[in-house]
Amino acid sequence: IVNDCKLLQNLDVSSVAICSNDVINYPEDSFDKMIEFSNSNNFNFPYLHDETQEIARKFDAVCTPDFFGYNKNLELQYRGRLDNAGISGEILKDKELLNAFHQIVKSGKGPKEQKSSMGCSIKWK
């Protein structure tokens, strides 16, 4: 994710991460621990905490990570996964998020085919 976000910066695309997990029942997902994780993995984008889970609900987010890509008019153009590798162990062949943004920057429109993100479910309150 960090490497792809660096490449997105070269396209003048900004990235942000938002943690919406319930930290009361899942203290390992506390914002302090997420900041440690962010620092140790050299995140090059803001990492925010959605304490009320309002943002996750407004976006209809379902898992972590769940990617949303907008064009310059703030219109949703991509709702999909980072790449084809996922948790299946499949060999990386397609950097779907990065490719989608190349298309969005060029045309303003995302790809017609988009595969849903896969990951852990959001830990809802």
Side-chain angles (χ1 to χ4, degrees):
I1 293 171
V2 172
N3 290 334
D4 285 359
C5 286
K6 285 179 185 175
L7 295 171
L8 289 171
Q9 283 178 329
N10 294 334
L11 297 173
D12 285 331
V13 173
S14 298
S15 302
V16 62
I18 303 171
C19 179
S20 298
N21 286 340
D22 172 10
V23 300
I24 302 299
N25 291 310
Y26 300 89
E28 66 276 11
D29 290 341
S30 73
F31 194 53
D32 287 340
K33 293 208 185 266
M34 294 297 102
I35 290 171
E36 289 175 21
F37 181 81
S38 169
N39 290 336
S40 68
N41 288 281
N42 300 314
F43 281 17
N44 56 337
F45 44 83
Y47 195 23
L48 310 174
H49 181 61
D50 177 18
E51 186 176 348
T52 65
Q53 298 183 320
E54 178 181 356
I55 302 302
R57 292 185 195 286
K58 283 186 179 183
F59 278 71
D60 291 325
V62 296
C63 63
T64 59
D66 205 352
F67 297 96
F68 300 82
Y70 294 84
N71 64 15
K72 65 181 178 180
N73 298 321
L74 299 178
E75 299 164 326
L76 181 64
Q77 296 299 315
Y78 187 74
R79 171 82 188 272
R81 59 189 188 176
L82 180 67
D83 56 43
N84 73 294
I87 57 175
S88 66
E90 189 177 337
I91 295 175
L92 177 63
K93 296 180 201 163
D94 189 10
K95 294 190 141 276
E96 295 168 30
L97 178 73
L98 194 57
N99 293 340
F101 265 103
H102 278 282
Q103 182 174 332
I104 293 166
V105 167
K106 185 176 181 180
S107 70
K109 300 285 182 190
K112 289 185 182 190
E113 183 181 339
Q114 301 179 15
K115 296 179 182 163
S116 298
S117 288
M118 298 184 318
C120 298
S121 63
I122 292 175
K123 286 126 181 130
W124 298 106
K125 294 181 180 182

